[in-house]
């Protein structure tokens, strides 16, 4: 009987070596590639999130420094470029990737990413991936070797030139394949950018770059310059609380450990601070964060409230996320309620016309943070929009009931999709049954920020501002 391809036959008898017992030799796979494979496989097999599973895998493998960085680059790079990699592998294999056994498919994706997007020599990328395939699907080593050698015959640009539809006749299809985004997302981004395909391409390119970690130096607890000195980083470009972390695990930063700082994208800091800094007539002691989990914006609002003699009520419907909010706001004037924010007026803990400032950081598709959560671009579907936008309108309507006359509501989403931004906020204001005025949000952001548009709402962008694509609308109840 012929041994399966990729395995070594067992030997017996005198020629078997010492002890007469020779077991099959398990192929050696270097630990960074093994860690990246396990993370990518968990994302596709278990619907896991890379930012949650990869740190655990790195710890279990004992990977630090350059090895951890390499595993991280392979994981996130493969997930970001998945659509284009799959198109290339389909062509190279002569069959749709959906017909390739999942363990082999994920290993090939990692190998193709190394060939097309890293400086790993082609022979090393091919041989290491074949070793990986041998460890997870021994019978497929010949197939994997042939596919990867075909992938290596062209660079990334040449593959795009071969496979992408022409820009002149199908610009959305071309950009989707060239920059590895689903077509519906490319179309949504283009619409939000006024149909500017050149700027859409720049956004897609930025989405595929690894973003820096942003820290928030909590006001009154640590000065951002002090925090930047401690971590060897730089102050943010726009937010007065942002520090860019140059490397390392943010969870190891002492100021993060003891609650003087937390991890938060600069765009999220800007929109929360805009609500806190907006001019307001009358009392200003009762603030509400209506969708507070996991607690980043509540932490910043709580630190600002502590300086101004205000208190924050933080509402989160999911109990485990409410616990995260409690942890994130420990020591701050923040009261956490584990309840549905839509219950304003129906629950005495959330009375109507009670709060001076209200933040609605609404659940959304998350299309504005695809560079940080690359798997989301492949999971989200247009069918996700109707239930989400309904929830967004209901939450914003609840916020408008909760705020007092003359008070302010900030509606925020981490998505630039116009249905989740302009359509939602306009419809919710129209249906609210209370008088509402839009406040120009542009002056509420730091002076000199470019590309803020015509107002009154603001859309931040990765390629313009280096932030997640946060949307901000500020409304004043009449």
């Amino acid at each position: 009987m012929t041994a399966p391809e990729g395995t070594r036959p067992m030997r017996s008898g005198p020629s078997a070596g010492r002890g007469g017992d020779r077991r099959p030799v398990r192929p050696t796979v270097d630990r960074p590639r093994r860690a990246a494979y396990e993370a990518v496989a968990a994302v596709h097999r278990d619907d896991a999130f890379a930012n949650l599973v990869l740190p655990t895998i790195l710890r279990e493998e004992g990977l630090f420094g350059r090895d951890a960085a390499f595993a991280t680059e392979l994981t996130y790079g493969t997930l970001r470029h998945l659509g284009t990699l799959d198109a290339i592998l389909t062509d190279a294999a002569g069959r749709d990737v959906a017909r390739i056994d999942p363990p082999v498919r994920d290993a090939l994706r990692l190998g193709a990413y190394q060939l097309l997007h890293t400086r790993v020599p082609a022979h090393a990328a091919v041989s290491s991936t074949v070793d990986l395939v041998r460890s997870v699907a021994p019978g497929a080593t010949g197939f994997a070797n042939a596919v990867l050698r075909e992938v290596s015959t062209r660079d990334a640009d040449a593959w795009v030139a071969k496979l992408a539809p022409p820009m002149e006749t199908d610009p959305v299809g071309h950009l989707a394949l060239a920059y590895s985004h689903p077509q519906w997302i490319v179309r949504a981004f283009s619409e939000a950018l006024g149909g500017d395909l050149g700027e859409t391409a720049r956004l897609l390119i930025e989405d595929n770059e690894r973003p820096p970690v942003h820290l928030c130096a909590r006001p009154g607890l640590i000065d951002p310059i002090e925090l930047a000195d401690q971590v060897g980083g730089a102050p943010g470009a726009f937010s007065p609380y942002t520090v860019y972390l140059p490397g390392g695990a943010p969870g190891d930063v002492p100021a993060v450990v003891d609650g003087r700082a937390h991890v938060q994208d600069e765009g999220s800091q800007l929109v929360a601070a805009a609500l806190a800094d907006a001019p307001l007539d009358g009392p200003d002691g009762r603030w509400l964060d209506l969708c507070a989990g996991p607690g980043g914006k509540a932490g910043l609002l709580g630190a600002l409230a502590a300086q101004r003699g205000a208190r924050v009520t933080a509402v989160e419907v999911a109990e485990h996320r409410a616990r995260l909010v409690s942890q994130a706001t420990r020591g701050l004037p923040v009261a956490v309620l584990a309840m549905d924010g839509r219950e304003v007026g129906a629950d005495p803990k959330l009375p109507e016309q009670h709060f001076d400032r209200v933040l609605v950081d609404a659940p959304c598709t998350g299309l504005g943070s695809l560079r940080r959560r690359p798997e989301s671009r492949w999971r989200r579907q247009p069918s996700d929009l109707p239930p989400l936008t309904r929830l967004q309108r209901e939450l914003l309507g609840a916020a408008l009931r909760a705020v007092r006359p003359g008070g302010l509501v900030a509606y925020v989403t981490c998505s630039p999709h116009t249905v989740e931004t302009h359509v939602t906020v306009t419809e919710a204001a129209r249906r609210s049954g209370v008088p509402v005025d839009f406040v120009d949000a542009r002056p509420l952001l730091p002076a000199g920020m470019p590309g803020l548009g015509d107002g009154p709402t603001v859309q931040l962008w990765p390629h313009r501002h280096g932030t997640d694509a946060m949307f901000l609308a500020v409304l004043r109840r009449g």
Side-chain angles (χ1 to χ4, degrees), residues 113-135:
Y113 177 76
Q114 292 172 68
L115 286 168
L116 300 173
H117 296 285
T118 74
R119 296 181 180 179
V120 174
H123 70 275
V126 172
S127 63
S128 62
T129 305
V130 170
D131 286 342
L132 179 57
V133 171
R134 184 175 290 116
S135 72

Side-chain angles (χ1 to χ4, degrees), residues 19-373:
D21 180 18
R22 180 78 172 224
R23 294 188 176 127
V25 177
R26 186 176 180 84
T28 300
V29 179
D30 67 88
R31 291 188 299 158
R33 288 182 173 89
R34 166 66 68 179
Y37 169 80
E38 294 295 344
V40 170
V43 167
H44 296 138
R45 182 187 62 238
D46 307 326
D47 284 338
F49 290 96
N51 67 313
L52 298 181
V53 298
L54 182 59
T56 300
I57 293 171
L58 294 178
R59 286 195 300 271
E60 291 174 348
E61 291 284 348
L63 296 178
F64 306 96
R66 293 178 62 183
D67 284 346
F70 183 51
T72 301
E73 164 65 13
L74 291 185
T75 299
Y76 280 88
T78 298
L79 294 173
R80 289 188 183 104
H81 292 272
L82 194 67
T84 305
L85 295 176
D86 280 0
I88 294 169
L89 289 170
T90 292
D91 187 88
R95 70 177 77 163
D96 194 290
V97 289
R99 296 176 53 216
I100 300 174
D101 191 44
V104 179
R105 183 167 64 222
D106 283 333
L108 288 175
R109 288 162 166 166
L110 285 163
Y113 177 76
Q114 292 172 68
L115 286 168
L116 300 173
H117 296 285
T118 74
R119 296 181 180 179
V120 174
H123 70 275
V126 172
S127 63
S128 62
T129 305
V130 170
D131 286 342
L132 179 57
V133 171
R134 184 175 290 116
S135 72
V136 297
T141 53
F143 169 72
N145 184 68
V147 170
L148 291 173
R149 291 192 180 281
E150 178 62 22
V151 172
S152 71
T153 61
R154 295 177 175 84
D155 64 15
D157 290 340
W159 274 112
V160 169
K162 177 184 180 184
L163 299 177
M167 186 72 177
E168 297 74 20
T169 58
D170 185 3
V172 169
H174 180 91
L175 293 174
L177 191 138
Y179 302 116
S180 196
H181 283 68
Q183 289 194 25
W184 76 275
I185 293 180
V186 175
R187 197 172 292 111
F189 285 174
S190 176
E191 180 181 353
L193 288 165
D196 188 327
L197 295 176
E199 190 170 11
T200 301
R202 291 193 291 276
L203 169 60
L204 300 176
I205 291 169
E206 191 65 29
D207 254 359
N208 288 334
E209 295 296 322
R210 183 180 179 184
V213 173
H214 296 174
L215 300 179
C216 177
R218 293 183 169 181
L221 298 179
I222 187 170
D223 182 81
I225 301 300
E226 177 188 355
L227 178 60
D229 289 342
Q230 289 179 4
V231 301
F238 302 112
S239 167
Y241 314 115
T242 296
V243 170
Y244 301 148
L245 186 67
D252 295 337
V253 174
V256 173
V257 174
D258 64 24
R260 292 175 295 144
H262 62 267
V263 177
Q264 186 178 36
D265 179 77
E266 187 170 14
S268 294
Q269 298 176 41
L270 287 167
V271 295
L275 171 64
D277 294 338
L280 178 66
D281 294 328
D284 192 16
R286 295 175 297 202
W287 300 1
L288 173 64
D289 185 349
L290 202 59
C291 316
K297 294 182 182 68
L300 177 53
L301 289 175
L304 291 169
Q307 293 183 309
R308 303 178 191 180
R311 296 192 61 81
V312 179
T313 299
V315 177
E316 172 53 49
V317 65
E319 289 192 7
H320 71 283
R321 287 169 63 86
R323 288 193 292 272
L324 293 176
V325 178
S326 295
Q327 295 169 9
T329 58
R330 188 177 293 114
L332 298 173
V334 178
V336 180
L337 302 178
M339 59 185 298
D340 192 326
R342 291 172 292 181
E343 295 179 11
V344 169
D347 190 298
K349 296 176 183 177
L350 282 179
E352 293 189 3
Q353 302 186 46
H354 178 74
F355 296 95
D356 306 306
R357 300 179 190 267
V358 181
L359 173 66
V360 183
D361 183 15
C364 66
T365 55
L367 300 186
S369 58
L370 296 183
R371 58 189 189 144
R372 299 190 188 278
R373 296 220 169 94

Side-chain angles (χ1 to χ4, degrees), residues 271-285 287 308 355-358 403-410 437-445 472 474-477:
V271 295
L275 171 64
D277 294 338
L280 178 66
D281 294 328
D284 192 16
W287 300 1
R308 303 178 191 180
F355 296 95
D356 306 306
R357 300 179 190 267
V358 181
V403 73
R404 65 167 174 83
L408 296 167
V409 173
D437 294 318
F438 280 82
V439 176
D440 191 347
R442 293 172 298 171
L444 306 179
L445 296 174
L472 169 65
V474 180
L475 302 91
R476 189 185 307 274
R477 177 169 174 170

Side-chain angles (χ1 to χ4, degrees), residues 443-455:
L444 306 179
L445 296 174
M449 281 194 73
L452 295 183
D454 300 327

